[in-house]
Amino acid sequence: MSAHTAGAYRSDLASLLGFCERRAIPAWTALGNAEVRSFAAAEHAGGLAPRSIQRRLSAVRTFCEFLIREGCVRTNAAQEVRAPKTKKRLPTTLDADQMGRFLEFRVDDTLSMRDKAIMELFYSSGLRLSELVGLDLGAIDLLDRTVRVDGKGSKTRILPIGRFAVTALQRWLAERAALARVDDAAIFIGRSGRRLTPRAVQLRVDTWARRQGLGVHVHPHMFRHSFASHLLESSTDLRGVQELLGHADISTTQIYTHLDFQHLAKVYDAAHPRARRR
């Protein structure tokens, strides 16, 4: 597991432990289904979002499975406990024109070259933020126009790189050598010569969005959402988009079909004689 995932599990189980201490639950053998339901209810009453409660319960179920394997308990106390239903929210995207306007910013120094390469690659290949900042020099083949990505669950996938991203990467890599430290193979580095952090990338994306006058908050994952939505609008190949995104379950990818329908509905409402509002 990544350090981020391990930290999330640690935080979730610390919350469970705090609940058990407040309720004077003396041992894991005394933690039953009713207690876990009370834990979920208490988290909800405390203002935790349903999606976060789902994650907490998932961590508790996994922990209970561990306790069963270790012979500490006989049953999984969290097995039948469900979190409150979450309101389905469609991912936010930029349309093709907005994305084009965003990526047409002027490149006039080394760091703007780097930022251009980052954002062109985000949109070109649909990378997650963690995947992009984790890229090393050996992961990119500009002649073959591909990038090798180590995604969630240590799954590797090979992705195409578009021609605009190839050009931006070529320009950045020619400048990178002047900043890079000998011992750091990261493709994207900062002024210090060290690998960029996820937070640094988030700030650079937000800065350029404001400079380009988009009028909306842009974050790195929005490139991935836009990549998937635009591909699906053009190809209607859900399975192909799933492979490119690296989703283990196609149901995760299906949310973009709702985005596609939303686009079609707008076109219909604007164009059909019987759909226009007077």
Side-chain angles (χ1 to χ4, degrees), residues 31-60:
L31 184 70
N33 188 267
E35 286 75 21
V36 176
R37 288 182 189 277
S38 296
F39 169 63
E43 295 292 281
H44 187 54
L48 197 65
R51 190 176 296 276
S52 297
I53 296 173
Q54 284 179 350
R55 193 195 71 187
R56 290 236 158 125
L57 289 173
S58 175
V60 174

CSV table of all heavy atoms in Angstrom, one decimal, residues 31-60:
chain,number,residue,atom,x,y,z
A,31,LEU,N,-16.6,-6.1,20.7
A,31,LEU,CA,-17.1,-5.3,19.6
A,31,LEU,C,-18.0,-6.1,18.7
A,31,LEU,O,-17.5,-7.0,18.0
A,31,LEU,CB,-15.9,-4.7,18.8
A,31,LEU,CG,-16.2,-3.7,17.7
A,31,LEU,CD1,-16.6,-2.4,18.3
A,31,LEU,CD2,-15.0,-3.5,16.8
A,32,GLY,N,-19.3,-5.7,18.7
A,32,GLY,CA,-20.3,-6.5,17.9
A,32,GLY,C,-20.9,-5.6,16.9
A,32,GLY,O,-20.5,-4.4,16.7
A,33,ASN,N,-21.8,-6.2,16.2
A,33,ASN,CA,-22.5,-5.5,15.1
A,33,ASN,C,-23.2,-4.2,15.6
A,33,ASN,O,-23.1,-3.2,14.9
A,33,ASN,CB,-23.5,-6.4,14.4
A,33,ASN,CG,-24.1,-5.9,13.2
A,33,ASN,OD1,-25.2,-5.2,13.2
A,33,ASN,ND2,-23.4,-6.1,12.1
A,34,ALA,N,-23.8,-4.3,16.7
A,34,ALA,CA,-24.5,-3.1,17.2
A,34,ALA,C,-23.5,-2.0,17.6
A,34,ALA,O,-23.8,-0.8,17.3
A,34,ALA,CB,-25.3,-3.5,18.5
A,35,GLU,N,-22.4,-2.3,18.1
A,35,GLU,CA,-21.4,-1.3,18.4
A,35,GLU,C,-20.8,-0.6,17.1
A,35,GLU,O,-20.6,0.6,17.1
A,35,GLU,CB,-20.2,-1.9,19.2
A,35,GLU,CG,-20.6,-2.3,20.7
A,35,GLU,CD,-21.4,-3.5,20.8
A,35,GLU,OE1,-21.5,-4.3,19.8
A,35,GLU,OE2,-22.1,-3.7,21.8
A,36,VAL,N,-20.6,-1.4,16.1
A,36,VAL,CA,-20.1,-0.8,14.9
A,36,VAL,C,-21.1,0.1,14.2
A,36,VAL,O,-20.8,1.1,13.7
A,36,VAL,CB,-19.6,-1.9,13.9
A,36,VAL,CG1,-19.2,-1.3,12.6
A,36,VAL,CG2,-18.5,-2.7,14.5
A,37,ARG,N,-22.4,-0.3,14.3
A,37,ARG,CA,-23.5,0.5,13.8
A,37,ARG,C,-23.5,1.9,14.6
A,37,ARG,O,-23.7,2.9,14.0
A,37,ARG,CB,-24.8,-0.2,14.0
A,37,ARG,CG,-25.0,-1.3,13.0
A,37,ARG,CD,-26.4,-1.9,13.1
A,37,ARG,NE,-26.6,-3.1,12.4
A,37,ARG,CZ,-26.9,-3.1,11.1
A,37,ARG,NH1,-27.1,-2.0,10.4
A,37,ARG,NH2,-27.0,-4.3,10.4
A,38,SER,N,-23.3,1.8,15.9
A,38,SER,CA,-23.3,3.0,16.7
A,38,SER,C,-22.1,3.9,16.4
A,38,SER,O,-22.2,5.1,16.4
A,38,SER,CB,-23.2,2.6,18.2
A,38,SER,OG,-24.4,1.9,18.6
A,39,PHE,N,-21.0,3.2,16.0
A,39,PHE,CA,-19.8,3.9,15.6
A,39,PHE,C,-20.1,4.7,14.3
A,39,PHE,O,-19.8,5.9,14.2
A,39,PHE,CB,-18.6,3.0,15.4
A,39,PHE,CG,-17.4,3.5,14.7
A,39,PHE,CD1,-16.7,4.6,15.3
A,39,PHE,CD2,-17.0,3.1,13.4
A,39,PHE,CE1,-15.6,5.1,14.6
A,39,PHE,CE2,-15.9,3.6,12.8
A,39,PHE,CZ,-15.2,4.6,13.4
A,40,ALA,N,-20.7,4.1,13.4
A,40,ALA,CA,-21.0,4.7,12.1
A,40,ALA,C,-22.0,5.9,12.3
A,40,ALA,O,-21.9,7.0,11.7
A,40,ALA,CB,-21.6,3.7,11.1
A,41,ALA,N,-23.0,5.7,13.2
A,41,ALA,CA,-24.0,6.7,13.5
A,41,ALA,C,-23.3,7.9,14.2
A,41,ALA,O,-23.7,9.0,13.9
A,41,ALA,CB,-25.1,6.1,14.4
A,42,ALA,N,-22.4,7.6,15.1
A,42,ALA,CA,-21.7,8.7,15.8
A,42,ALA,C,-20.9,9.5,14.8
A,42,ALA,O,-20.8,10.8,15.0
A,42,ALA,CB,-20.9,8.1,16.9
A,43,GLU,N,-20.2,8.9,13.9
A,43,GLU,CA,-19.4,9.6,12.9
A,43,GLU,C,-20.3,10.5,12.0
A,43,GLU,O,-20.0,11.6,11.7
A,43,GLU,CB,-18.6,8.6,12.0
A,43,GLU,CG,-17.6,7.8,12.8
A,43,GLU,CD,-16.5,8.6,13.3
A,43,GLU,OE1,-15.6,8.9,12.4
A,43,GLU,OE2,-16.4,9.0,14.5
A,44,HIS,N,-21.5,9.9,11.7
A,44,HIS,CA,-22.4,10.7,10.8
A,44,HIS,C,-23.0,11.9,11.6
A,44,HIS,O,-23.0,13.0,11.1
A,44,HIS,CB,-23.6,9.8,10.4
A,44,HIS,CG,-24.5,10.4,9.4
A,44,HIS,ND1,-24.1,11.0,8.3
A,44,HIS,CD2,-25.9,10.6,9.5
A,44,HIS,CE1,-25.2,11.5,7.6
A,44,HIS,NE2,-26.2,11.2,8.3
A,45,ALA,N,-23.3,11.7,12.9
A,45,ALA,CA,-23.8,12.8,13.7
A,45,ALA,C,-22.7,13.8,13.9
A,45,ALA,O,-23.0,15.0,14.1
A,45,ALA,CB,-24.3,12.2,15.1
A,46,GLY,N,-21.5,13.4,13.9
A,46,GLY,CA,-20.4,14.4,14.0
A,46,GLY,C,-20.0,15.1,12.8
A,46,GLY,O,-19.1,15.9,12.8
A,47,GLY,N,-20.8,14.9,11.7
A,47,GLY,CA,-20.6,15.7,10.5
A,47,GLY,C,-19.8,15.0,9.4
A,47,GLY,O,-19.5,15.7,8.4
A,48,LEU,N,-19.3,13.8,9.6
A,48,LEU,CA,-18.5,13.1,8.6
A,48,LEU,C,-19.4,12.8,7.4
A,48,LEU,O,-20.5,12.3,7.5
A,48,LEU,CB,-17.9,11.9,9.2
A,48,LEU,CG,-16.7,11.3,8.5
A,48,LEU,CD1,-15.5,12.2,8.5
A,48,LEU,CD2,-16.3,9.9,9.0
A,49,ALA,N,-18.8,13.0,6.2
A,49,ALA,CA,-19.6,12.8,5.0
A,49,ALA,C,-19.8,11.3,4.8
A,49,ALA,O,-19.0,10.4,5.2
A,49,ALA,CB,-18.8,13.3,3.8
A,50,PRO,N,-20.9,10.9,4.2
A,50,PRO,CA,-21.2,9.5,3.9
A,50,PRO,C,-20.1,8.7,3.2
A,50,PRO,O,-19.8,7.6,3.5
A,50,PRO,CB,-22.5,9.5,3.0
A,50,PRO,CG,-23.2,10.8,3.5
A,50,PRO,CD,-22.0,11.7,3.7
A,51,ARG,N,-19.4,9.4,2.3
A,51,ARG,CA,-18.3,8.7,1.6
A,51,ARG,C,-17.1,8.4,2.5
A,51,ARG,O,-16.5,7.3,2.4
A,51,ARG,CB,-17.8,9.6,0.4
A,51,ARG,CG,-16.9,8.9,-0.5
A,51,ARG,CD,-16.5,9.7,-1.7
A,51,ARG,NE,-17.7,10.0,-2.5
A,51,ARG,CZ,-18.1,9.2,-3.5
A,51,ARG,NH1,-17.5,8.1,-3.7
A,51,ARG,NH2,-19.1,9.6,-4.2
A,52,SER,N,-16.9,9.3,3.4
A,52,SER,CA,-15.8,9.1,4.4
A,52,SER,C,-16.2,8.0,5.4
A,52,SER,O,-15.4,7.2,5.8
A,52,SER,CB,-15.5,10.4,5.2
A,52,SER,OG,-15.0,11.4,4.3
A,53,ILE,N,-17.5,7.9,5.7
A,53,ILE,CA,-18.0,6.8,6.6
A,53,ILE,C,-17.8,5.5,5.9
A,53,ILE,O,-17.5,4.5,6.5
A,53,ILE,CB,-19.4,7.1,7.1
A,53,ILE,CG1,-19.5,8.4,7.9
A,53,ILE,CG2,-20.0,5.9,7.9
A,53,ILE,CD1,-20.9,8.8,8.2
A,54,GLN,N,-18.1,5.5,4.6
A,54,GLN,CA,-17.9,4.2,3.9
A,54,GLN,C,-16.5,3.8,3.9
A,54,GLN,O,-16.2,2.6,4.1
A,54,GLN,CB,-18.3,4.5,2.4
A,54,GLN,CG,-19.8,4.5,2.1
A,54,GLN,CD,-20.1,4.8,0.6
A,54,GLN,OE1,-19.2,5.1,-0.2
A,54,GLN,NE2,-21.3,4.7,0.2
A,55,ARG,N,-15.6,4.7,3.8
A,55,ARG,CA,-14.1,4.3,3.9
A,55,ARG,C,-13.8,3.8,5.3
A,55,ARG,O,-13.1,2.9,5.4
A,55,ARG,CB,-13.3,5.6,3.5
A,55,ARG,CG,-11.8,5.2,3.3
A,55,ARG,CD,-11.0,6.5,3.3
A,55,ARG,NE,-10.8,7.0,4.7
A,55,ARG,CZ,-10.2,8.1,5.0
A,55,ARG,NH1,-9.8,8.9,4.0
A,55,ARG,NH2,-10.1,8.5,6.2
A,56,ARG,N,-14.3,4.5,6.3
A,56,ARG,CA,-14.0,4.0,7.7
A,56,ARG,C,-14.5,2.6,7.9
A,56,ARG,O,-13.8,1.8,8.5
A,56,ARG,CB,-14.7,5.0,8.7
A,56,ARG,CG,-14.1,6.4,8.7
A,56,ARG,CD,-13.6,6.8,10.1
A,56,ARG,NE,-12.6,7.8,10.0
A,56,ARG,CZ,-12.7,9.0,10.5
A,56,ARG,NH1,-13.7,9.3,11.3
A,56,ARG,NH2,-11.7,9.8,10.4
A,57,LEU,N,-15.8,2.4,7.5
A,57,LEU,CA,-16.3,1.0,7.6
A,57,LEU,C,-15.5,0.0,6.9
A,57,LEU,O,-15.4,-1.2,7.3
A,57,LEU,CB,-17.8,1.0,7.2
A,57,LEU,CG,-18.7,1.8,8.2
A,57,LEU,CD1,-20.1,1.8,7.6
A,57,LEU,CD2,-18.8,1.1,9.6
A,58,SER,N,-15.1,0.3,5.7
A,58,SER,CA,-14.2,-0.6,4.9
A,58,SER,C,-13.0,-0.9,5.7
A,58,SER,O,-12.5,-2.1,5.7
A,58,SER,CB,-13.9,0.1,3.6
A,58,SER,OG,-13.0,-0.7,2.8
A,59,ALA,N,-12.4,0.1,6.3
A,59,ALA,CA,-11.1,-0.1,7.1
A,59,ALA,C,-11.4,-1.0,8.3
A,59,ALA,O,-10.6,-1.9,8.6
A,59,ALA,CB,-10.6,1.2,7.6
A,60,VAL,N,-12.6,-0.8,8.9
A,60,VAL,CA,-13.0,-1.6,10.1
A,60,VAL,C,-13.2,-3.1,9.6
A,60,VAL,O,-12.8,-4.0,10.3
A,60,VAL,CB,-14.2,-1.1,10.8
A,60,VAL,CG1,-14.7,-2.0,11.9
A,60,VAL,CG2,-13.9,0.3,11.4
